[in-house]
Amino acid sequence: MAQGIKNLLGLRDLTSDEIVEILDTARSFREVLERPIKKVPTLQGTTVVNLFFESSTRTRISFELAERRLSADVVNFAASGSSVSKGETLKDTARNIEAMKTDVVVIRHSSTGAAHFLTRFLKSPVINAGDGINEHPTQGLLDMFTMREKFGDLKDLHVCIVGDIVHSRVARSNIFGLTKLGAKVAVCGPKTLIPDYLEQFDVKVFYDIDEAIQWADVLNVLRIQLEREAGGDFPSIREYRLYWGINRLRLEKAKKSIVIMHPGPINRGVELDADVADGNTSLILDQVTNGVAVRMAVLYLTGVKTS
Amino acid sequence: MRVRSKIADAQQIARSITRLAHEIIEHNKGAANLCVIGIKTRGDFLAKRIAEKISEIEKVDIPLGTLDITLYRDDVRQKLKLPELKRTEVPFDITDRNVILVDDVLFTGRTIRSALDALIDIGRPNTIQLAVLVDRGHRELPISADYVGKNLPTAIKESVVVRLTEVDGSDEILLVEEDGTGN
């Protein structure tokens, strides 16, 4: 029997067994996505609200597809054009929507802790679709699912996360999740973008990308937010590319093939060269496909109400 | 769960499977265009045995699949815990085939209702025929089996347990009395 989970706020809060349960469940849904009719009736009559206070293409569409493929009713909320612009608080917005008898809330918000905050007063299960610089648990899960499909087991797999670690909720969800399942995790990037809290975790730090490439089986390359250049975290985009950009020449120096992943959207020619992003060791589009299956699994495990 | 009586042993189950295989071949005038799909978790082992028996008699390969109907159940929300999701594996196109759907015990008919929905989502078979090892009665839906190993009239409080070597270590069919926990 599956245990189910009340909320999905972050991988930090889950046990390794719970993570494995989500990943195993996602494998069943991955099969559903290969069928001619990619829809099952499991969440019929369940209403899911997608509260997106921050722009998103991939995650929002992925959640919406996952919900629709489970036959849930879907309500989409975007902050722009809503009563938020009239000054309504997050708490009031969420409680008002729940008062219309919705069942599950998916939230993306630029403030760290927004999803946790909702659980204090909502009865519905809350799924975190990214909160500030805290976590993006479904991205972490789909990254782990994709690695598991490729390598079978995550134990002792060497995963290096490259780029802007300090501002990245994807990096944090990867670190929490991967270490719980026994993978070896490293990060690599400019010193200004490596957080100091990493000392608490068993995470290796590389400042030299060539050393990181030698060590890694998988490079999970993060998007460099172009606006960080102005913030002074690194001198220029060009310099970032020169020192940390992933290109074919760098990868060829490693004597093995290295799997390339990226949560998107990619800045081609900045953190990742186009030929590598589209190369035969890239799993970037598999990540996107798997994302739907993983989100279906999370919705199944949180959204089905048992008596 | 208290065992009231043993309905069949390994040899009797094997005979039933042989007869079911012969009936399926007879009714379909051969094994061309047949495929066998079992419902998890005991129907899939029975399906394998039936498919092997048909192959042995007709000397042809029979495509074999398994169906997990969890996502199609109408009682997911009434269970105390969320059922564990297993995998549907039907590695061939069922469209225009004659599908033999296999389960261990036919009872309310609700599992079969779910299985029909699940099958129709993966293709449009020519026919779907139902084979079960035991029909214990008490249908709640207008569903009946085309091939029955054993008709076993039961009381509603009783339950039929099919044990198979692949999962339970031995082959037997038991009539048991429920202790209220359901099956």
Side-chain angles (χ1 to χ4, degrees), chain B residues 9 28 31 33 47 49 58 83 91 115 122 125 138-139 145 150 175 179:
Chain B
D9 61 15
N28 289 282
N33 214 23
R49 294 188 197 182
E58 290 290 297
I122 59 174
H138 303 288
R139 215 76 77 240
K150 193 162 186 60
L175 183 65
D179 53 12

Side-chain angles (χ1 to χ4, degrees), chain A residues 85-304:
Chain A
S85 51
K86 296 182 189 165
E88 191 175 45
T89 63
L90 171 59
K91 182 174 179 176
D92 282 338
T93 303
R95 290 185 69 193
N96 274 279
I97 293 174
E98 192 181 49
M100 298 181 208
K101 303 296 175 195
T102 58
D103 302 297
V104 179
V105 174
V106 176
I107 179 170
R108 150 81 55 109
H109 202 286
S110 56
S111 294
T112 290
H116 287 78
F117 176 65
L118 292 191
T119 62
R120 288 195 217 152
F121 46 80
L122 292 187
K123 286 182 221 66
S124 318
V126 175
I127 299 171
N128 184 0
D131 65 324
I133 57 167
N134 175 37
E135 281 217 50
H136 188 353
T138 54
Q139 180 71 43
L141 288 165
L142 76 90
D143 289 345
M144 293 164 77
F145 181 89
T146 307
M147 293 178 214
R148 220 165 164 235
E149 291 300 287
K150 172 80 184 171
F151 295 98
D153 191 2
L154 297 184
K155 187 144 180 47
D156 295 328
L157 186 70
H158 286 200
V159 182
C160 185
I161 308 162
V162 183
D164 181 358
I165 311 299
V166 74
H167 299 104
S168 173
R169 52 196 177 207
V170 176
R172 283 170 60 91
S173 287
N174 264 267
I175 291 168
F176 290 130
L178 285 165
T179 50
K180 279 181 184 169
L181 293 202
K184 300 271 183 272
V185 181
V187 297
C188 179
K191 205 161 187 172
T192 46
L193 295 177
I194 305 285
D196 42 18
Y197 64 74
L198 286 178
E199 289 158 12
Q200 306 162 42
F201 301 98
D202 190 13
V203 174
K204 225 173 148 64
V205 179
F206 291 105
Y207 297 108
D208 180 336
I209 188 66
D210 294 309
E211 281 177 30
I213 289 173
Q214 288 302 330
W215 176 87
D217 301 310
V218 179
L219 293 180
N220 199 353
V221 186
L222 303 177
R223 191 173 94 88
I224 284 297
Q225 289 161 295
L226 301 174
E227 56 274 21
R228 300 275 172 225
E229 181 182 352
D233 287 323
F234 50 87
S236 71
I237 293 292
R238 195 168 161 272
E239 184 164 319
Y240 181 87
R241 184 192 180 190
L242 208 59
Y243 283 94
W244 288 282
I246 307 297
N247 58 42
R248 193 162 43 83
L249 286 178
R250 285 208 157 112
L251 291 174
E252 278 171 0
K253 274 193 262 169
K255 287 175 185 64
K256 54 186 177 179
S257 100
I258 293 174
V259 165
I260 303 294
M261 297 174 63
H262 192 298
I266 307 174
N267 293 309
R268 287 175 181 259
V270 182
E271 71 267 7
L272 193 58
D273 273 11
D275 58 340
V276 177
D278 303 328
N280 53 11
T281 65
S282 164
L283 294 182
I284 296 172
L285 288 177
D286 298 78
Q287 287 175 270
V288 179
T289 310
N290 295 339
V292 179
V294 164
R295 291 181 176 112
M296 286 171 88
V298 170
L299 286 159
Y300 173 72
L301 293 169
T302 52
V304 176

